[in-house]
Amino acid sequence: MKLSRMAWVLGIISSCVFASENSMPIDGVTVSLTEYPTLSVQNRSKNVVQIDIYGDEFSLLPASGLTFECAGYPYLEIQVQGMVHDYFEVPCQSRIVFGDTFNNQQ
């Protein structure tokens, strides 16, 4: 009985850790931590996604992506262009996916 209770508690803890590593800062956008020293951004939506990272602007066509060198920043602020007040901060070692449900059309 004790062993099954411990396994249950460890399962709950593992789920909480996994949930903290994957987040959705904006509807249709998923962020997960990686072990790579760069930021990875992928656009799986049907729209062109325009983002700004500290003054560097990028246009991501559908089914495209980019890798961003963090240049000493432990965290990066990602501003999604064309949306009111939509920005979020991620650790440099992250993967951002604009999923097929993401819609930046207003």
Side-chain angles (χ1 to χ4, degrees), residues 3-98:
L3 185 59
S4 65
R5 182 179 290 178
M6 182 183 276
W8 181 77
V9 169
L10 289 175
I12 295 296
I13 291 171
S14 297
S15 296
C16 292
V17 169
F18 181 73
S20 70
E21 291 181 358
N22 292 307
S23 65
M24 288 188 82
I26 299 174
D27 286 340
V29 178
T30 305
V31 176
S32 57
L33 296 176
T34 68
E35 295 182 18
Y36 300 107
T38 57
L39 175 71
S40 169
V41 183
Q42 297 179 343
N43 181 12
R44 295 184 181 163
S45 75
K46 300 173 190 165
N47 304 309
V48 174
V49 176
Q50 295 180 323
I51 61 172
D52 180 298
I53 304 173
Y54 296 130
D56 290 329
E57 295 183 5
F58 303 95
S59 290
L60 298 169
L61 298 173
S64 70
L66 67 90
T67 301
F68 185 81
E69 295 289 331
C70 297
Y73 293 108
Y75 288 87
L76 298 170
E77 183 177 287
I78 311 300
Q79 295 182 343
V80 181
Q81 303 296 313
M83 299 183 77
V84 178
H85 304 296
D86 276 327
Y87 65 93
F88 53 95
E89 188 175 79
V90 297
C92 176
Q93 295 178 305
S94 297
R95 178 179 177 212
I96 301 171
V97 177
F98 291 87

